[in-house]
Every structure is written in C-alpha cells, then in structure tokens.
Amino acid sequence: MKHTRFMETALGLIEISEIDGFVTELFFAKNTQKTADGSQTPVLKEAERQITEYLSGKRKVFDLPLVADGTDFQKVIWEALRKISYGETRSYKQVAEMIGKPKASRAVGMANNKNPILIVTPCHRVIGANGKLVGYAAGLAVKEKLLKLEQAHANS
C-alpha cells in the first residue's frame, strides 16, 4: 500500500511516498491540493527528519531505504548520482564517464529528468558542461538554492 506525506519547506511543498517500507518518490509538489493519506509510517517520519536536517545544513548523506521505478539504465544513473559528494557538481558527461559510457551524456540527462526521488538522489548536482545550471524538475531557482545550501555547509 502506498503512503504519502507532505512537508512544508522554505523551498516549497515536498511530497514523499512510501511503499512497503521503501521511499519510492520525493519531489516538489506542483499541485498544492494535498492528497496525502495522513499516515505517518516510520519510513516517512525518518524521511521527513532527514530532509529537515539536510535543508538546515546538518545532513550531508541520506540513509533511507529507496526503491525507484525505472529502467535498469536509469537505476545505474541514479546510483551514480548518489555517489556525487555533498557540495560538489558533475556535468552530464562526467556522470556518463562515471558509469563507463562516455558518449551517453544525453541519456544521463533523460535519466536525470525521470528521477523520482529528488534531493536524496541528487540530480540537482548535475550541471551543464559549461558550468551553467540546466534542467531541474522543481525549477532552476530551487536547483540553485540546493547547490548554494550545500556549498555553504560543505566544510562544516
């Protein structure tokens, strides 16, 4: 059974979903009409705690059970994204190189676009080859705020 919670943050409303003890979705809710089921499972409670710690600059690494629905290739990309250290960025090409497919920059971009667990799977840490911020499901302003948050707390 799917359980969903919303949490208000300075960056916007975050929706977190869990199925069978695993976080399956975490994203910025575009629809402000809350459809949460009101349950507060241990996994959802822990996810909220860790996101709150992250947004306050206290948490740099997440420790949550994750299951993301995607292709095998997307899952490889998402795993690679979780290896990008807090406060650091990589280009799409660098992520493609991380997985041993240096010509797969566009495919990396498409996998980033389909990432169902934002922040925890840090697709916001992937930038254009020229160092510019490109593409983010929650918008470039949120991506910029997440990167600035991490840069401000990277050495603390």
Side-chain angles (χ1 to χ4, degrees), residues 4-21:
T4 302
R5 296 280 299 174
F6 288 89
M7 64 183 287
E8 295 281 353
T9 73
L11 297 176
L13 187 65
I14 293 178
E15 183 174 335
I16 308 168
S17 294
E18 174 235 324
I19 297 175
D20 297 330

Side-chain angles (χ1 to χ4, degrees), residues 82-133:
R82 289 190 288 274
K83 292 177 182 170
I84 302 171
S85 297
Y86 181 95
E88 295 184 8
T89 59
R90 297 289 182 274
S91 69
Y92 293 95
K93 181 174 175 46
Q94 288 172 316
V95 174
E97 290 167 349
M98 285 172 66
I99 64 158
K101 298 193 179 293
K103 296 186 187 285
S105 298
R106 285 183 180 224
V108 167
M110 293 304 293
N112 256 20
N113 180 271
K114 300 294 184 193
N115 174 17
I117 307 175
L118 300 184
I119 301 175
V120 178
T121 301
C123 56
H124 63 276
R125 296 180 187 154
V126 182
I127 59 175
N130 59 3
K132 300 227 181 204
L133 301 186

Side-chain angles (χ1 to χ4, degrees), residues 41-84:
T41 68
V43 170
L44 289 174
K45 187 174 183 179
E46 181 62 16
E48 285 184 49
R49 185 181 72 79
Q50 289 190 28
I51 292 294
T52 299
E53 289 174 355
Y54 168 82
L55 292 173
S56 68
K58 295 178 184 165
R59 175 171 292 275
K60 295 178 174 69
V61 177
F62 290 96
D63 182 24
L64 294 168
L66 307 175
V67 170
D69 187 26
T71 66
D72 289 344
F73 181 78
Q74 288 170 335
K75 291 175 184 178
V76 167
I77 298 299
W78 300 334
E79 183 63 34
L81 297 179
R82 289 190 288 274
K83 292 177 182 170
I84 302 171

